[in-house]
Amino acid sequence: MPEQLPEWNAVGVEPPQSLKDSGWQPGMKPSAQHMNWLLNRAYKCIEELQQDGGNVDDLTQAVADLERKVDTKFAEVDRDIAAVDTKVDTHTKEDLGHVRFIGNTNATNAWVCTSDEIIWDTAFTPPRPKEGSAYRVTTTHNNTGNITIVLKNKDGSKVSNAFSILNSDGSQILPSSFPMSAILTLAFHGNSFFLQGNGSGVKPEPGTKEFVTPGTYSWVVPRGVFNVLVILNGAGGGGGGFFTFSGGGGNAGGGGGSGGIFVDMIPVTPGETIQIQVGLGGTAGANGLAPNTVASMGSPGGFSGFKTSYAHGGDGGFAGTQYGNGGGANGGIGGGYGGNGQRGQDGVGSSSGLGGKNPNGIGDGGSTSQPGKNGKAVIRW
C-alpha cells in the first residue's frame, strides 16, 4: 500500500531564476510564497510518481501474465511438434512406400547387405523383409551370374535367408548385367527380390567381345546396352593347287580371295541372345602331277555373321593345269562401312599366285596351295 502523500496545496510564487541559480545565502530569510511554491511542487511531483507507480505495477503484472501465456503456448507447440515427429518417424519406419538405402552389396553374386533400415516381418523364422518393402543398394562387383541377397541388421540379431534377385519380368539376372557402383532398386515379393525400373540406374561399362575360333556362338547382350559396334571379317579362300609337269616345272594355281569386311552399329536389346558365326578359312586346292593327277581349286572361306549382318568369305583360287596357270579368285562381299575383300593374284608360270590381303591381316586369301585365314567377329559397346 503506498504511503500517504504530504499534501500541500498552497501554490505560492516561483522564485526568480537568479535565486534558483544562487540559492539562499547565510542571513537571508526565505520568502513564505517561495517556500509554498517549493512544497507544492514537491507534493505534486510525489503524487505523480505515486500514480505512475501504480500503472507500472499493473503493466508489470500484465507482462508477467503474457509471458506465462506465451510459455504455455510454446510448450503446447513443442508437444505438437514432438507428436508430429513421432508420427513421421513411425510412418517412415513402417510405410512400405519408402525406398530405403541399405548399403553396398559386398560380393560378386552372393550379396549381403547390413542395415538397420530394413523392415522386418518377424512372423517368419528366420525373419524376412516385409512383403512389398523396397530397398536401394550399390553394387561393388560386376556380377558373373545369377544373384542372391541376404539381409541383416547391424547387431546381427536378424539375418534373412538368401533370396533370389530377378528381373521385373521374373527372369534370371544375366552375367555382366551390373557393373561396379551401379545403384539398383529392389522390391520384395513372395520369395524373391525384383529389379525395379527400366535400366535401374545401370550405366554399362564399355566392353569388347572377340570371337576368333571358327564356329557358331551365342552372346547375351549386357544389361543397359542398346547399340553395339560390330566388326566382321569373312574367311579367306584357299589357294588353287599347283600342277606339275612330268618333266619338271609346272603351272601355279591362283590365290584365294580375302574375306569381306562388315563394320556398322547395330541396335540390340539388353538380355537378348544373339547368334554369332566366325568363318573357317578355305582349304587349299590339291596339287596335280602329270599325267595322272589333276590339281584342284581352293575352297571358299566361310562367312562371319552377327544377327542378319554378314561378311562373306573369299572364293577359292583356280588350279593350275597342263594348259596354263590358275586364276585368282574374287574377294568376299562385305557391308556397312567395311568393304569387299581383295581378289587373289593369278599364278604366273611356276610362280605362286598370292592370296588377297585385308588391311587388318584377318581373313586373307591363301596363296597357291595354301589355305585361307580364318575370319573374326568383334563386338564393342
Side-chain angles (χ1 to χ4, degrees):
M1 181 175 178
E3 292 289 336
Q4 183 176 354
L5 282 171
E7 185 176 357
W8 196 274
N9 295 316
V11 177
V13 176
E14 182 178 0
Q17 188 61 42
S18 58
L19 181 59
K20 291 179 182 179
D21 293 338
S22 63
W24 282 295
Q25 301 300 317
M28 294 179 64
K29 181 178 180 181
S31 165
Q33 292 295 342
H34 291 168
M35 288 297 298
N36 286 334
W37 177 87
L38 179 62
L39 293 175
N40 178 259
R41 296 298 300 165
Y43 162 66
K44 292 292 185 182
C45 288
I46 293 173
E47 181 182 43
E48 184 177 342
L49 286 173
Q50 193 175 70
Q51 290 175 350
D52 290 343
N55 293 336
V56 169
D57 289 342
D58 292 342
L59 181 59
T60 301
Q61 184 62 43
V63 170
D65 292 342
L66 181 59
E67 287 178 344
R68 280 193 295 271
K69 290 179 180 179
V70 171
D71 290 342
T72 301
K73 182 57 68 175
F74 274 129
E76 292 174 356
V77 171
D78 288 341
R79 285 195 298 271
D80 291 342
I81 292 174
V84 170
D85 287 343
T86 301
K87 291 179 180 179
V88 170
D89 187 55
T90 302
H91 173 73
T92 301
K93 289 181 178 178
E94 296 181 356
D95 179 36
L96 298 179
H98 286 86
V99 178
R100 295 157 178 80
F101 179 71
I102 58 174
N104 297 328
T105 56
N106 303 307
T108 303
N109 300 320
W111 296 352
V112 178
C113 292
T114 302
S115 173
D116 286 335
E117 294 295 319
I118 300 163
I119 305 177
W120 294 99
D121 189 343
T122 55
F124 292 87
T125 304
R128 60 180 359 187
K130 276 194 173 183
E131 176 75 14
S133 58
Y135 306 95
R136 187 170 288 117
V137 299
T138 300
T139 59
T140 55
H141 298 75
N142 185 358
N143 75 297
T144 58
N146 299 337
I147 303 172
T148 62
I149 186 170
V150 171
L151 302 184
K152 59 194 303 187
N153 62 352
K154 290 183 178 180
D155 65 10
S157 61
K158 296 184 180 70
V159 181
S160 74
N161 286 329
F163 297 103
S164 295
I165 296 178
L166 306 174
N167 288 310
S168 57
D169 62 1
S171 60
Q172 290 285 348
I173 300 294
L174 299 172
S176 300
S177 291
F178 308 132
M180 291 177 59
S181 301
I183 299 175
L184 311 177
T185 300
L186 312 172
F188 186 72
H189 173 63
N191 289 301
S192 301
F193 278 95
F194 291 85
L195 188 65
Q196 303 297 294
N198 181 18
S200 301
V202 175
K203 182 179 180 181
E205 292 182 337
T208 299
K209 185 70 174 178
E210 295 187 352
F211 300 88
V212 297
T213 302
T216 300
Y217 303 89
S218 292
W219 179 69
V220 178
V221 180
R223 192 168 190 84
V225 174
F226 295 90
N227 291 281
V228 292
L229 175 65
V230 176
I231 305 171
L232 303 173
N233 284 93
F242 189 96
F243 182 82
T244 303
F245 300 134
S246 57
N251 290 324
S258 65
I261 300 174
F262 175 92
V263 180
D264 210 346
M265 294 294 296
I266 296 179
V268 294
T269 302
E272 178 184 4
T273 300
I274 297 173
Q275 189 175 74
I276 296 169
Q277 295 88 15
V278 176
L280 175 67
T283 57
N287 294 328
L289 177 63
N292 300 319
T293 307
V294 297
S296 63
M297 67 182 299
S299 66
F303 69 89
S304 296
F306 181 95
K307 297 182 77 171
T308 58
S309 299
Y310 302 97
H312 295 273
D315 292 336
F318 292 91
T321 69
Q322 62 178 329
Y323 304 108
N325 291 106
N330 292 326
I333 298 174
Y337 297 97
N340 296 336
Q342 186 182 51
R343 184 181 184 278
Q345 296 180 4
D346 299 338
V348 180
S350 59
S351 297
S352 294
L354 299 178
K357 302 294 183 182
N358 280 337
N360 57 5
I362 300 170
D364 289 349
S367 297
T368 302
S369 303
Q370 298 295 317
K373 290 185 177 181
N374 297 329
K376 184 178 181 180
V378 179
I379 309 166
R380 294 176 181 166
W381 63 92

